[in-house]
Amino acid sequence: MPLNHYVTLGRSGLRVSPYCLGTMTFGEDFGWGASPEVSFAMLDEYRSRGGNFVDTANIYTAGHSEQIIGDYIRQKKVRRDEIVVSTKFYCNLFPGDPNGGGAGRKALIQQCEASLNRLKSDYIDIYWLHNWDRTAPIEETLRGLDDLVTAGKIRYVGFSDIPAWKTAEAQTVAHFRGWAPIIALQLEYSLLERTSEGELFPMAQAMGMGIMPWSPLKSGFLSGKFRRGSEGDVDTKRTNMVGVPSAPDYDIIEAVADVASELGLSSASVALAWVRSQAGVSSTLIGARRLDQLKINLDSLEVTLSAEQINKLSLISKPKLNFPAENNETLAPMLAFSGTTVDGRTVPSPARLSA
């Protein structure tokens, strides 16, 4: 699947690339990102392959990431409508100001105006609620976002890192009120973080939201740089912030490396291909600090894993999900469809029922 074979995002009319360029690394303000020049080079590479989807947030390098994207679009004379630019609100850039962040009407409107200024744009394609504001009524947030859609300042609404029950409530309210719906959901997802399969994945699929995994390489743990027993420093700037893999993580890391060796590919390419193969995934967020890293990640779009390889990786990384996920997956079908095949799945008969 090339980068210019676009996918429809959720229940919307928006078409985006299968890989979205995440720009958390744009700017060196936090001590570990990419310079504006390298960021421009990564945008050039991404767009030269047909990529049209760029994601940022007001908190990324304290607004510098948004500014770099705005500078790029203006300096490169990119036609604004040919690129899908999404950004996020919630994070407070003004410590001490209780309305500087969060999801209340006052906060979200001022954050939107500030992002538009940094992006040097009249509108934002997808505006994401970055985290759950427990103190703001969800109706206030949704109505504020709908007003921004009506005003033409944002085109679509997305949610990021918010519980499934709260997202479902929000989507129900939006549909009932006729407000702009949530078209997509950003969530952490990788072979080392699969617990979102319990509630978030089925909720998103049932309610018309595209799933956009972030950190598909688990902060670089699945990139191939880490080896069990290795004593050398690995990307010390990042490990100071995100830590290192745990002992159980290495079982999965080694399984990815084994598949990569079979195919003559990088571990990163295999890990990304696995994420892309999962039902419900629309566009995967990828990011890099260097151009060579980005090229490797983009090349993984050409990788297709066999059913056997996908199954091998899925089994070794299978998570323990919250109740009642296992009950619904195993026991419930046997109680309802014992001994039959429904929607392509053959359900065995429990011993107690078949005796």
Side-chain angles (χ1 to χ4, degrees):
M1 175 184 286
L3 203 56
N4 62 355
H5 282 199
Y6 306 106
V7 297
T8 300
L9 189 57
R11 195 176 293 154
S12 77
L14 185 64
R15 264 65 73 165
V16 298
S17 294
Y19 278 171
C20 174
L21 180 59
T23 63
M24 187 175 71
T25 57
F26 280 21
E28 299 170 298
D29 308 64
F30 294 167
W32 49 265
S35 68
E37 294 75 21
V38 172
S39 300
F40 271 37
M42 288 193 281
L43 283 163
D44 281 340
E45 178 68 23
Y46 178 74
R47 293 186 61 247
S48 72
R49 301 193 189 203
N52 78 334
F53 193 9
V54 178
D55 179 76
T56 185
N58 68 341
I59 194 63
Y60 292 169
T61 48
H64 194 190
S65 173
E66 289 181 324
Q67 183 182 332
I68 289 171
I69 294 168
D71 289 343
Y72 178 88
I73 291 172
R74 179 160 296 187
Q75 292 177 28
K76 296 282 187 172
K77 295 181 171 55
V78 177
R79 185 172 65 87
R80 175 63 184 87
D81 287 338
E82 77 181 42
I83 188 168
V84 177
V85 177
S86 72
T87 192
K88 308 179 191 74
F89 72 98
Y90 174 85
C91 297
N92 196 332
L93 300 184
F94 306 99
D97 178 2
N99 294 302
R105 176 182 286 271
K106 178 177 174 65
L108 74 88
I109 290 176
Q110 69 86 4
Q111 289 175 83
C112 180
E113 296 289 355
S115 288
L116 287 170
N117 286 334
R118 287 189 290 267
L119 290 165
K120 301 175 182 64
S121 179
D122 295 328
Y123 69 94
I124 295 161
D125 289 290
I126 309 176
Y127 202 37
W128 305 86
L129 173 58
H130 206 163
N131 278 275
W132 177 25
D133 184 350
R134 294 170 181 262
T135 65
I138 196 63
E139 295 86 357
E140 179 177 333
T141 302
L142 293 169
R143 179 58 192 271
L145 290 168
D146 188 68
D147 286 346
L148 289 174
V149 171
T150 301
K153 294 188 177 182
I154 68 175
R155 299 289 190 258
Y156 296 96
V157 173
F159 271 23
S160 173
D161 306 346
I162 297 171
W165 72 268
K166 195 66 185 179
T167 305
E169 177 193 0
Q171 188 76 318
T172 301
V173 169
H175 282 311
F176 180 74
R177 295 293 185 184
W179 295 339
I182 302 157
I183 68 161
L185 188 66
Q186 286 194 23
L187 48 82
E188 183 178 3
Y189 189 60
S190 71
L191 280 161
L192 289 173
E193 177 48 73
R194 294 178 55 190
T195 54
S196 55
E197 293 175 8
E199 297 282 353
L200 288 161
F201 263 65
M203 181 274 303
Q205 291 172 282
M207 304 197 81
M209 303 172 203
I211 296 171
M212 288 185 57
W214 57 262
S215 198
L217 299 181
K218 187 62 174 177
S219 300
F221 293 1
L222 294 163
S223 66
K225 292 184 288 187
F226 289 87
R227 291 287 187 271
R228 194 192 300 269
S230 175
E231 297 180 358
D233 289 336
V234 178
D235 197 0
T236 54
K237 291 181 180 180
R238 287 283 283 160
T239 54
N240 288 339
M241 184 175 71
V242 301
V244 295
S246 66
D249 287 343
Y250 280 105
D251 293 336
I252 300 169
I253 290 170
E254 289 175 351
V256 172
D258 288 344
V259 173
S261 179
E262 291 174 12
L263 298 173
L265 300 169
S266 69
S267 289
S269 293
V270 170
L272 286 168
W274 182 88
V275 167
R276 206 176 66 247
S277 72
Q278 301 306 296
V281 170
S282 296
S283 180
T284 303
L285 283 150
I286 60 169
R289 285 191 297 114
R290 303 193 311 267
L291 182 58
D292 62 302
Q293 294 173 331
L294 177 64
K295 288 180 177 179
I296 291 172
N297 290 347
L298 293 176
D299 288 344
S300 71
L301 274 173
E302 305 301 323
V303 176
T304 301
L305 302 179
S306 68
E308 182 181 358
Q309 290 164 337
I310 291 173
N311 188 54
K312 173 183 178 180
L313 296 174
S314 298
L315 286 176
I316 197 167
S317 64
K318 187 175 181 179
K320 179 66 175 177
L321 301 175
N322 290 343
F323 178 85
E326 185 175 348
N327 181 295
N328 291 338
E329 175 65 22
T330 58
L331 178 60
M334 286 192 290
L335 295 176
F337 311 117
S338 174
T340 64
T341 298
V342 178
D343 294 332
R345 178 182 177 183
T346 299
V347 181
S349 299
R352 185 175 299 174
L353 295 180
S354 59

